[in-house]
Amino acid sequence: MPYITVKMLEGRTDEQKKALVEKVTDAVVETTGASQDKVVVFIEEMNKSHYGVAGKRLSDEG
Amino acid sequence: MPYITVKMLEGRTDEQKKALVEKVTDAVVETTGASQDKVVVFIEEMNKSHYGVAGKRLSDEG
Amino acid sequence: MPYITVKMLEGRTDEQKKALVEKVTDAVVETTGASQDKVVVFIEEMNKSHYGVAGKRLSDEG
Amino acid sequence: MPYITVKMLEGRTDEQKKALVEKVTDAVVETTGASQDKVVVFIEEMNKSHYGVAGKRLSDEG
Amino acid sequence: MPYITVKMLEGRTDEQKKALVEKVTDAVVETTGASQDKVVVFIEEMNKSHYGVAGKRLSDEG
Amino acid sequence: MPYITVKMLEGRTDEQKKALVEKVTDAVVETTGASQDKVVVFIEEMNKSHYGVAGKRLSDEG
């Protein structure tokens, strides 16, 4: 604890995800005082056809 | 905001998902007064082997 | 199934929430072909101090 | 209701998932008094490259 | 890991929640082979006015 | 997008939450290349009686 879930579109590289987990963990430790080894990060990827804003999916944009 | 997540079994067509995002957004705008461009919809699909009711998965039903 | 979660700021009236559940359910039934009695809606409310966009919480906006 | 989500790493067998849904449902019925046919279980699987503890992903461990 | 979230209506006693965490953990350990000290359980409670089935909230039922 | 949810125990101050949203947003922008104004952060707080590790809730620890 804390548990952090990052939901984002598919397409980031493995290096980006590695850095994401590292830097988000640092940010949480620095601001909440949590012990680093208690911080858990989950990444959830979305497909453009499963994500819509204002009633329109990203996959339907021209 | 609002953020709407629709969790359902795999198998709907792309047209159904497109309509789902559109109509759910309309319903949320109409009833909450949210601005349409602030409404976000996520679709999450489940597999029958990852979903159980009353202790039995859908994939195990005869 | 489907299971719909609507996450939004606190402050809607009870009547608005009642209508939200009703209309969102209709939209899901109409577009996915799900049976109405299988559609489940959860409402989750957020506080302005627990929600941030672009690094700034709503509660911190002047 | 209740609705139970089990988030775990990929790799369990189908038999393990079947038993998981069954036994978790039993545990919830026994302790909450919920009716068995109202208990819903979702399984969500994670990839090692999408899960990090202490700033390090499982997929990056030597 | 695994991480288990149990979403249910408000109203269970503290003893029931204590037993719930204990028994669900046992069920997960037994069926997945996870180490007991890695199993995490979250309880999320819902209000009847924030939960609807078939378009109708529990709080609106006569 | 991305959407980040931080789940943690109650008890952080308002200043800590403000800094958390700010720093986590920075970390996500830096590592994913997302535009800052698209990054959304949600904070979810838990009570010690709703969180258990290894079958035991935090509120039951001596």
Side-chain angles (χ1 to χ4, degrees), chain E residues 4 8 10-11 13-16 19 21-22 24 27 32 34 36 38 42-44 47 49 51 53-54 56 58-59:
Chain E
I4 299 101
M8 60 184 185
E10 295 170 341
T13 65
D14 201 61
E15 278 311 300
Q16 284 180 301
V21 168
E22 201 175 297
V24 166
T32 65
Q36 197 203 19
K38 298 288 188 191
F42 306 109
I43 297 175
E44 293 183 1
N47 188 290
S49 67
Y51 172 61
V53 179
K56 195 169 189 175
L58 251 67
S59 56

Side-chain angles (χ1 to χ4, degrees), chain A residues 1 3 5 7 9 51, chain F residues 1 3-5 7 9 51:
Chain A
M1 182 202 10
Y3 300 95
T5 304
K7 194 171 193 155
L9 284 181
Y51 172 62
Chain F
M1 184 199 13
Y3 300 94
I4 300 99
T5 303
K7 195 172 192 153
L9 283 182
Y51 172 62

Side-chain angles (χ1 to χ4, degrees), chain C residues 14-35:
Chain C
D14 201 62
E15 279 310 302
Q16 282 181 303
K17 291 176 193 172
K18 182 182 176 179
L20 173 68
V21 168
E22 203 174 293
K23 298 294 187 188
V24 165
T25 299
D26 289 350
V28 170
V29 167
E30 180 191 339
T31 55
T32 64
S35 158

Side-chain angles (χ1 to χ4, degrees), chain E residues 30-46:
Chain E
E30 180 192 339
T31 56
T32 65
S35 157
Q36 197 203 19
D37 60 303
K38 298 288 188 191
V39 179
V40 178
V41 179
F42 306 109
I43 297 175
E44 293 183 1
E45 289 187 318
M46 290 182 291

Side-chain angles (χ1 to χ4, degrees), chain A residues 15-34:
Chain A
E15 278 310 301
Q16 284 180 302
K17 292 177 193 173
K18 182 180 176 179
L20 173 67
V21 169
E22 203 174 295
K23 298 293 187 187
V24 166
T25 299
D26 289 350
V28 170
V29 167
E30 179 191 340
T31 56
T32 66

